[in-house]
Amino acid sequence: MSFDKIILATHNQGKIAEMREMLKPLGIAVSSAAELNLPDVEETGTTFEENAKLKAEQLSALSGLPCLADDSGLCVDALDGRPGVYSARYAPNRDFDKGMQMLLDELSATKDTERKAHFSCVMAFARPDEKTQVFEGRVDGRIAQAKKGSGGFGYDPIFVPDEGDGRSFAEFDGAEKNKISHRGRALRKFLEYLQK
């Protein structure tokens, strides 16, 4: 690949830290949209893929640089897949403590066996004058009865992955989480694409 710098189309510090850590071995410099004073792109799509492509293509066009964008969210079976693409906006003013409490309240009468959920992530990689590439990742789990842990970000304290040992994502360290997370899986597909 003939580039040494990528823009991450996000202002979310948690995402920036996670993705920077995973891209470090490739020796590619990573800047965020926030660091380059690029705007937040409005997510007007109705799917994760539409939103990821919108952000990557707009910021790549604005900057003239390769851009990696993701759209991800929490999909809860008992809520017909909500909050889904509206996960960040479901939390009032992006206050995830309030968002998690709202979600727990909505599920208060739901049995443990009916609290299945998954995190989904779609990453889009756009470069000027090239076809945008798309990479997907997913992790299945369930919604806990209460928040647990202080790590991670977003809805991590209430999500317990099936592949774990009963801890929430907020109780995993970064390396553990990246191995099985939706974003980790999508990013590994992106890394494989870069190395081809």
Side-chain angles (χ1 to χ4, degrees):
M1 293 278 155
S2 55
F3 58 86
D4 55 9
K5 184 173 186 174
I6 288 178
I7 297 171
L8 299 181
T10 184
H11 289 68
N12 180 314
Q13 292 304 313
K15 281 186 188 180
I16 293 163
E18 262 186 20
M19 291 162 77
R20 198 169 253 156
E21 184 64 29
M22 290 188 75
L23 288 166
K24 193 191 295 179
L26 290 184
I28 295 171
V30 175
S31 296
S32 71
E35 290 162 350
L36 297 177
N37 293 316
L38 291 167
D40 242 339
V41 175
E42 192 178 351
E43 297 178 353
T44 55
T46 57
T47 66
F48 295 121
E49 181 171 337
E50 285 175 9
N51 284 330
K53 287 172 88 170
L54 266 172
K55 292 188 281 189
E57 289 168 359
Q58 282 189 38
L59 293 189
S60 180
L62 273 173
S63 66
L65 292 166
C67 182
L68 182 65
D70 90 306
D71 194 34
S72 52
L74 178 63
C75 307
V76 182
D77 291 10
L79 302 179
D80 298 319
R82 287 189 303 109
V85 291
Y86 304 105
S87 292
R89 286 164 276 181
Y90 176 86
N93 299 315
R94 297 190 183 231
D95 180 335
F96 285 97
D97 276 333
K98 287 182 181 167
M100 283 187 280
Q101 194 53 57
M102 285 168 57
L103 205 55
L104 292 173
D105 289 346
E106 274 202 82
L107 294 172
S108 60
T110 310
K111 297 177 201 157
D112 270 349
T113 53
E114 295 166 4
R115 296 170 79 93
K116 288 183 181 169
H118 68 272
F119 270 124
S120 189
C121 173
V122 176
M123 288 188 175
F125 180 60
R127 289 196 282 169
D129 306 318
E130 294 204 23
K131 183 175 185 287
T132 299
Q133 302 294 318
V134 174
F135 312 91
E136 295 182 47
R138 170 179 166 142
V139 59
D140 292 295
R142 62 181 170 79
I143 303 300
Q145 293 285 351
K147 292 183 266 189
K148 299 188 297 179
S150 57
F153 60 95
Y155 296 99
D156 284 357
I158 60 170
F159 182 79
V160 178
D162 289 345
E163 293 167 64
D165 53 11
R167 289 177 296 156
S168 78
F169 258 167
E171 295 174 291
F172 281 54
D173 69 31
E176 276 184 305
K177 182 184 169 192
N178 285 340
K179 279 181 189 166
I180 64 167
S181 77
H182 52 308
R183 191 167 296 106
R185 286 176 168 154
L187 197 53
R188 274 192 294 282
K189 290 178 184 175
F190 169 62
L191 296 178
E192 284 166 17
Y193 162 77
L194 287 188
Q195 289 162 344
K196 277 178 186 169

